[in-house]
Amino acid sequence: MFSYIGMDYSQCVLIDKINQYQKLKGRPLISTRGYCHGLAVLWLSKMAQQKVEWFYDMIRYIIHNKPQDYDEASFEKFLALIEFGQNPLNSGLNITHRHLRILLEMDNIESTSFVGKYPNLFKKIRPKKHPGMYLIAHGDHAIAAFHKGDNYYVYDSNYFTGEAKMFDSKENAAKEIMARLLSKAEQKEDEDFELEFNYIPLNHLSHPSSEVVIDMSVNDGGYEADEEEKFSSGWQTSSCNIL
C-alpha cells in the first residue's frame, strides 16, 4: 500500500485510529501513552521473517481507512500482535528475557542493563559480519534495531513515516539510538547513561547471513571486531511527544 507524502504514520495517529475502532466495537480504549514496545517487537519479528512490508502496509491501511471499513480479520490480527508485544502475559511494560523468547520464538537472547558513554554503546552494537537484532529501552520508551547485510535499520514507532531508517554503519546507528531514547541533557559525551539492551544473534535464521557463526569468546566485547571499531563525536537529536 502506498504512502501519502507528508502524512503522519507515527504511533500517535495509529493509536487514535485503533481507539476509534475500539469505540465502534464498544471496547475499552488502548493506552494513549504509546505502544512502542508492542510495535517494536512486532517490527523485529517481521524483519526476521522478511515480511516487514506487511507491518508497514497494515499501519498505512489502518491510518488511511475508516474504522468501519476495516477488514476485521486483518485488523484484529495486527491488534492482537501489538497487544501481546506490549503486555506479554499481562505483565505490564517490563518485557523480560523470558518474554522476548516467547514473543520472538528465539532462545539465544542476551539481555543486559547497559551503563556507559557513547563509545561503549557504539561498541555494543555488533559489526557487519555479525548480523543481529536489538530491542533497546530507556525509561518507558523502546525502539528496535536490525542488522542485515551491509545496513543497520533503526525503528522507532514515533517516526513520522512509520518505517525504519537505514544506516550504513553501526556508528551512525548508535547515534540514532541515542537521539531517539535520550534527552539532550543525557546526550553528553562525558555523561554515563543507562539502557535496557536486548540482543538476538541471527546466525540460526533463514536469512542471507545465516551462515555467519558468532564466536562470543573472541574478546571482551563478545565478538570479533572489524574495522568499524571507531567513533566520532556529534549527533543529531530529535524530540518525541509520546512514549
Side-chain angles (χ1 to χ4, degrees):
M1 180 178 290
F2 59 88
S3 301
Y4 292 105
I5 296 174
M7 194 163 186
D8 186 351
Y9 295 99
S10 67
Q11 67 164 329
C12 183
V13 179
L14 179 67
I15 290 170
D16 180 66
K17 294 301 293 282
I18 290 173
N19 276 334
Q20 289 180 38
Y21 180 89
Q22 296 292 83
K23 286 180 182 178
L24 193 67
K25 295 296 182 180
R27 298 175 180 172
L29 304 185
I30 68 171
S31 173
T32 56
R33 293 184 69 245
Y35 260 52
C36 56
H37 285 77
L39 289 163
V41 170
L42 182 55
W43 178 82
L44 283 175
S45 176
K46 293 305 174 183
M47 282 291 286
Q49 296 169 12
Q50 301 184 55
K51 296 180 179 179
V52 75
E53 286 306 318
W54 174 87
F55 176 83
Y56 297 145
D57 284 346
M58 281 304 303
I59 290 175
R60 291 190 286 261
Y61 173 81
I62 291 168
I63 290 175
H64 287 172
N65 292 282
K66 296 178 181 179
Q68 58 266 35
D69 296 333
Y70 291 163
D71 176 273
E72 290 195 11
S74 297
F75 176 84
E76 295 287 359
K77 175 183 178 181
F78 180 82
L79 181 58
L81 288 170
I82 64 170
E83 283 274 12
F84 187 47
Q86 184 72 14
N87 300 297
L89 309 182
N90 296 315
S91 62
L93 283 175
N94 297 319
I95 294 181
T96 67
H97 206 128
R98 179 172 64 95
H99 294 140
L100 283 176
R101 287 194 179 113
I102 295 170
L103 293 167
L104 298 173
E105 298 180 343
M106 298 175 185
D107 293 326
N108 53 342
I109 298 173
E110 302 171 30
S111 295
T112 61
S113 291
F114 170 87
V115 179
K117 299 178 175 63
Y118 169 62
N120 293 328
L121 173 62
F122 170 52
K123 292 178 180 179
K124 185 78 173 174
I125 299 174
R126 301 304 199 256
K128 289 181 177 179
K129 64 176 72 174
H130 298 289
M133 59 188 190
Y134 309 80
L135 179 68
I136 308 168
H138 178 69
D140 291 328
H141 191 47
I143 65 174
F146 192 100
H147 167 214
K148 179 180 180 181
D150 290 333
N151 298 311
Y152 294 85
Y153 301 84
V154 177
Y155 173 76
D156 184 341
S157 55
N158 292 327
Y159 280 149
F160 192 82
T161 63
E163 298 188 11
K165 293 183 180 180
M166 185 176 70
F167 301 90
D168 60 2
S169 71
K170 67 196 190 97
E171 174 190 8
N172 289 330
K175 291 177 183 177
E176 181 67 8
I177 290 167
M178 289 186 65
R180 301 313 299 181
L181 290 176
L182 304 178
S183 68
K184 290 183 179 179
E186 292 172 309
Q187 294 181 42
K188 297 179 180 178
E189 286 190 62
D190 59 346
E191 293 288 337
D192 281 352
F193 55 86
E194 184 172 357
L195 301 175
E196 182 67 28
F197 204 92
N198 300 281
Y199 165 67
I200 307 100
L202 295 177
N203 58 301
H204 69 295
L205 296 179
S206 176
H207 179 277
S209 301
S210 61
E211 297 304 315
V212 175
V213 176
I214 299 178
D215 183 356
M216 300 305 293
S217 65
V218 171
N219 62 20
D220 292 338
Y223 55 84
E224 181 184 353
D226 63 17
E227 292 182 358
E228 281 193 347
E229 289 298 316
K230 51 190 174 181
F231 64 92
S232 62
S233 62
W235 48 82
Q236 297 293 320
T237 60
S238 52
S239 60
C240 301
N241 295 318
I242 187 170
L243 296 176

